[in-house]
Amino acid sequence: MEKKFGNDFYAEMDRIQRFYPNKRAMLLPALHAAQGERGWISDDTMQDVADFLGIPKTQVLEAVSFYHWFKMKPVGKFNLQFCNNIACWLRGSEELIHHAEQKCKVKMGETTKDGLFTISEVECLGSCGTAPVCQINNDYHENFDIHKLDKVIEGSR
Amino acid sequence: MNSEIVFSKYYGQAGVEGIDAYKKNEAGYTALPKAIEMGWEKVLQEVKDSGLRGRGGAGFPCGTKWGFIPKNSDKAKYLVINADESEPGTFKDRAIMTYQPHLMIEGAIIAAMTINAHMIYCYIRGEYVKEAEILEKAVAEAYKAGYLGKNSCGTGYQLDFVVHRGAGAYICGEETALLNSIEGKRGEPRIKPPFFPAAIGLYGCPTVVNNVETLACVPMIVNRGATWFKTFGPEKNSGMKLFCISGHVNRPGLYEKPMGYPLMKLINEDCGGIWRGRKLKAAFPGGSSSPLLTAEECNVNLDFDSLAKAGSMLGSAAIMIIDDATCMLKVAIRTAHFYQVESCGQCTPCREGTMWLKDLHHRLEAGQGRRGDLDLIEDICNNMDGTTICAFGEATAWPLRSMVKKFRAEYEQHITEKRCPFGGSAGHAHGH
Ligand SMILES: Cc1cc2nc3c(=O)[nH]c(=O)nc-3n(C[C@H](O)[C@H](O)[C@H](O)COP(=O)(O)O)c2cc1C
Ligand code: SF4
Ligand code: FES
C-alpha cells in the first residue's frame, strides 16, 4: 500500500497493533498520530486513516466529529485553549478570554489572519487548583494571568 | 484517627516518578510479590475487608466489583483504568500519574492478576499529553523490570499494559462510554442491563473498570493490610483520600486527608479561609455533578455516607468554593453550559433538557426571565432524573435543581429587578 503518512505514524501503529484485537479499536491511536503529523484532520486524512485501517470512512467521520480534541479545520500555530469551566471562571477566566480576543482581534473560535493564534474555549482541564488555566497546543499554563498572556502573545509574534 | 500521609509526600518534587525512586521512597513493587505469595483469593478477600470504595465517583466497593468477574468463563478478561478525569473540579488522578505512576501500575497489575486479566488498558484523557508521556515511560520501565510482559514476575503469567489516549469528551468517563471509545466508536454509554462491564464489557468480554486513585490504594492494602486501611476514616468509608479544592479559598490545591475530614476545617485551616476577606456562600463538594451545599450545609464531614445524608455526594472529591460576591445564576450558567456541550445526545430528555436549561439560565441571568421559569427549570430537571441511559442525566439535574431550590430568592431577584444584582460577576471577573 502506498505510504500516506510519515515513518513515525507507521512505527507507532506497529508498536501498538498487538494490543488491539481489531483494526477499528486502533482508530483513536491512529487519529492521534495523524493529527500529530498534519495538525488537523481533513477529509483526505479521514480517508487515509480509513484506508490504512481498512474500515469505512463513515466510521472515521463518526469518531472525528464526536471528539473535541480532533480538529476538523486547521488551527493557528498557537492554539490558545481557555478553560472557562466553573473553577477557572471563579478565578477570572472570562477576563482573560476577553483580553485575548481584544489583543488578537479575533472572536472565540477564530484564527488570526496570519495563522498564528486560534482562541478556543474548552471544558475543565483537570487543573482547577491552579486556575485559571490555558492549554496552548499541548502545554498547560497554570495560574494564568493577563501579564503571562501578553508575554505568550508577544513572544510568539 | 490515622492521618498519616501516604500519597502526597513527594508531590511537587522533581525526579520522583521513576521506578528507582518509587522503590526507594515508597517500598515500590514489594506489594506485587507479596500478593503473588498470598494467592488471589486472599488478595481479593483483603481488598473486600479493607472496605475500599471506588474513587471515580460512585463509591462502589472495589472488592465486590472484582468479585463479579466470572471465574469459569473462558472468555478473555480485561482491566481498564479510568484516567479520563473530566469531572469539573477534579485534578487528583493527574497528580498520581505525574508523581506516582508506578503506584497506579503496581495496583493495576495486582487487580489484573486477581481477576485473571492479561491485558490492561489505561484510558487517559486526551488533554493530558504530558501525563501520558510520563505514564508511557513508567510502563516501559515496568516491562524492562519484568513486572509486565510475557513472564510477569517470573510466574509465567503474560500481562500487557497499553496507554490509550481519549480525545476530549467528558462522557467517556462513564465506564460503558469509555469501553465504546476504546473500541473506536463514539463515546456513547451502553444500556445497563445487559451491558454491565463485568458480564459484557470490552469487546464483549468481562471487564473491570477502576479509577486511578482506587487502584493506587491497592498496593498499600496488600502491604499493610485491611485493618490498617480502616484506621483512616469512619466505618464503611475507609481510607485516605485526595481532595481537590478550587475556587475562592486562599490556598486552593490538592489535600490528602483521611475520609470523614470536616469540610469547614479544610476550608478554614488547611486552605486559609475564603479569599479577599469575603464569606462562604456555597460549595460543590464532589464536582459539578454534586448538589450544591449552602454555607450552613458545609458543616459536614467529607465521606460518601455523610455527604449522601446531607443530600449531596462525595463524587470525585472535587470541592469548588464560591464566595458571597458571586452570582449564583452565573455559576448555574457555567454548569448548564458544560452539560449541554457534553451530552452525547442519545436520550431525548438529556439532549433537549440540557439545551433548555442552558437557554433558560441565560435568559434569567440577562434579566429577561419570566415568572414560570423557575418551576420550568425544576420540571426539566425532574424529567431528566432517572429517565436516561446513563447517570449524566442526574449529574445535570441534581446540581441545577439544588441551585434553584436553595437560591430561589436570588433567582427571583433577577426576574423582578430585570437585571443581575451582582452585575453578572464572579466576584472577580466581569462578564462580557
Ligand atoms: C457522566 C459520568 C462521568 C464520569 N467520569 C468519570 C471520570 O472522569 N473518571 C472516573 O474514574 N470515573 C468517572 N465516572 C464513573 C465511572 O462510570 C465508573 O463508575 C468508575 O470509573 C469506576 O471506578 P471506581 O469503582 O474505581 O470508582 C463517570 C460517570 C459518569 C456517569
Ligand atoms: S443521559 Fe445524556 S449523556 Fe447519558 S446516554 Fe443519555 S444522552 Fe448520553
Ligand atoms: S475548571 Fe478550569 S481546569 Fe478545571
Side-chain angles (χ1 to χ4, degrees):
Chain A
M1 200 162 66
E2 191 195 340
K3 285 205 166 176
K4 295 284 182 59
F5 295 100
N7 289 337
D8 285 358
F9 178 92
Y10 297 103
E12 175 64 3
M13 294 299 106
D14 278 350
R15 184 182 75 82
I16 62 166
Q17 190 163 5
R18 69 185 186 93
F19 298 128
Y20 297 92
N22 63 59
K23 292 278 182 170
R24 190 176 183 183
M26 288 170 66
L27 180 54
L28 258 57
L31 286 169
H32 277 298
Q35 181 163 286
E37 183 177 319
R38 298 183 181 172
W40 63 294
I41 309 281
S42 67
D43 206 52
D44 286 345
T45 300
M46 283 190 238
Q47 189 64 58
D48 292 343
V49 169
D51 291 345
F52 171 75
L53 295 175
I55 62 174
K57 190 181 151 201
T58 49
Q59 288 183 359
V60 180
L61 175 64
E62 252 181 51
V64 174
S65 58
F66 185 85
Y67 296 99
H68 310 303
W69 184 258
F70 298 129
K71 311 283 180 278
M72 294 182 79
K73 48 180 205 200
V75 289
K77 191 169 166 214
F78 299 98
N79 189 9
L80 309 181
Q81 302 158 103
F82 288 95
C83 171
N84 198 20
N85 208 303
I86 301 168
C88 283
W89 177 80
L90 290 170
R91 288 249 165 189
S93 57
E94 223 161 43
E95 242 171 3
L96 285 176
I97 293 170
H98 210 53
H99 186 77
E101 285 175 328
Q102 280 181 340
K103 190 108 185 168
C104 297
K105 300 189 183 67
V106 288
K107 287 234 159 56
M108 181 54 71
E110 294 175 352
T111 302
T112 53
K113 280 211 185 70
D114 57 9
L116 267 185
F117 302 105
T118 300
I119 299 180
S120 28
E121 182 177 299
V122 294
E123 297 307 334
C124 175
L125 287 166
S127 194
C128 332
T130 46
V133 188
C134 180
Q135 184 171 22
I136 304 180
N137 300 343
N138 289 340
D139 299 328
Y140 278 41
H141 294 251
E142 303 176 30
N143 292 312
F144 212 44
D145 57 32
I146 287 189
H147 181 66
K148 288 181 185 167
L149 176 58
D150 283 343
K151 254 171 89 176
V152 166
I153 293 176
E154 276 146 29
S156 325
R157 276 204 168 117
Chain B
M1 195 188 286
N2 198 339
S3 58
E4 183 187 338
I5 295 293
V6 296
F7 279 116
S8 52
K9 213 183 278 174
Y10 301 99
Y11 288 5
Q13 295 186 22
V16 294
E17 74 282 8
I19 195 164
D20 293 334
Y22 176 57
K23 286 184 174 177
K24 185 170 144 266
N25 293 340
E26 304 181 71
Y29 292 105
T30 55
L32 181 53
K34 187 174 174 197
I36 291 170
E37 208 186 289
M38 281 166 72
W40 304 111
E41 289 286 330
K42 266 204 181 138
V43 171
L44 179 62
Q45 195 56 49
E46 200 69 26
V47 173
K48 280 184 179 167
D49 292 345
S50 75
L52 171 62
R53 293 171 68 173
R55 283 9 183 180
F60 194 82
C62 180
T64 308
K65 185 186 278 192
W66 294 2
F68 286 152
I69 295 295
K71 285 213 179 57
N72 305 322
S73 155
D74 48 13
K75 282 188 174 169
K77 285 139 199 114
Y78 293 101
L79 176 73
V80 175
I81 308 171
N82 192 339
D84 193 54
E85 191 158 72
S86 306
E87 174 70 23
T90 320
F91 48 92
K92 65 192 178 62
D93 298 340
R94 180 172 168 227
I96 294 174
M97 292 188 285
T98 302
Y99 298 110
Q100 308 174 291
H102 283 287
L103 183 65
M104 180 197 83
I105 293 170
E106 187 176 8
I109 295 174
I110 295 169
M113 288 186 171
T114 307
I115 63 165
N116 199 20
H118 293 273
M119 183 74 222
I120 301 169
Y121 290 88
C122 180
Y123 188 95
I124 181 170
R125 61 177 298 180
E127 293 82 358
Y128 284 177
V129 180
K130 210 160 97 202
E131 293 74 12
E133 278 167 13
I134 296 172
L135 213 51
E136 289 280 13
K137 240 189 226 161
V139 169
E141 285 180 325
Y143 267 101
K144 198 160 161 247
Y147 302 122
L148 291 166
K150 285 213 161 56
N151 181 18
S152 171
C153 303
T155 56
Y157 191 98
Q158 173 159 359
L159 184 57
D160 282 301
F161 190 119
V162 66
V163 178
H164 187 100
R165 289 181 60 208
Y170 166 65
I171 193 58
C172 288
E174 195 282 335
E175 56 188 11
T176 60
L178 190 156
L179 299 178
N180 273 337
S181 182
I182 295 180
E183 293 179 12
K185 301 169 184 161
R186 297 164 72 95
E188 288 168 347
R190 300 170 176 175
I191 298 175
K192 303 191 226 183
F195 293 104
F196 289 110
I200 314 174
L202 187 60
Y203 314 121
C205 296
T207 303
V208 162
V209 182
N210 268 142
N211 173 260
V212 171
E213 189 186 357
T214 312
L215 291 169
C217 291
V218 170
M220 305 176 209
I221 292 170
V222 169
N223 258 341
R224 304 175 70 175
T227 313
W228 168 81
F229 194 73
K230 286 195 285 195
T231 59
F232 299 85
E235 175 109 34
K236 296 204 174 91
N237 293 270
S238 51
M240 67 305 288
K241 183 80 193 81
L242 293 171
F243 293 99
C244 320
I245 323 254
S246 60
H248 295 156
V249 284
N250 279 315
R251 289 189 297 274
L254 199 61
Y255 291 85
E256 178 176 349
K257 298 289 169 193
M259 279 281 197
Y261 196 77
L263 174 55
M264 284 316 293
K265 190 169 171 193
L266 190 60
I267 295 174
N268 288 329
E269 292 177 23
D270 298 284
C271 299
I274 306 300
W275 76 346
R276 301 181 174 182
R278 292 186 187 149
K279 288 202 172 65
L280 174 66
K281 178 170 186 174
F284 290 96
S288 66
S289 305
S290 64
L292 201 73
L293 300 174
T294 61
E296 300 85 71
E297 288 168 339
C298 284
N299 282 310
V300 69
N301 293 341
L302 295 165
D303 60 72
F304 293 111
D305 295 340
S306 302
L307 278 160
K309 223 172 110 197
S312 189
M313 57 193 222
L314 181 66
S316 55
I319 303 158
M320 294 184 281
I321 305 293
I322 301 164
D323 74 17
D324 62 349
T326 308
C327 168
M328 200 46 75
L329 251 167
K330 265 282 201 172
V331 178
I333 288 182
R334 289 286 99 225
T335 311
H337 175 88
F338 170 72
Y339 290 102
Q340 191 268 316
V341 170
E342 298 295 338
S343 165
C344 88
Q346 281 192 107
C347 324
T348 311
C350 175
R351 183 183 63 247
E352 297 193 347
T354 50
M355 201 87 83
W356 274 98
L357 286 169
K358 184 181 141 186
D359 289 350
L360 273 167
H361 283 92
H362 271 293
R363 188 160 95 195
L364 280 162
E365 210 278 330
Q368 290 154 8
R370 300 173 204 144
R371 278 270 150 242
D373 283 354
L374 307 191
D375 292 335
L376 195 53
I377 291 175
E378 285 199 48
D379 280 351
I380 295 167
C381 290
N382 294 342
N383 200 31
M384 290 173 75
D385 192 346
T387 58
T388 54
I389 291 175
C390 86
F392 185 103
E394 284 95 69
T396 311
W398 292 3
L400 288 169
R401 190 167 51 201
S402 74
M403 285 185 236
V404 70
K405 274 198 168 137
K406 294 177 184 177
F407 292 92
R408 201 171 175 99
E410 192 175 315
Y411 281 46
E412 277 169 353
Q413 207 183 345
H414 281 77
I415 301 175
T416 48
E417 293 182 14
K418 295 196 191 325
R419 65 179 184 96
C420 173
F422 294 86
S425 116
H428 178 101
H430 303 281
H432 284 286

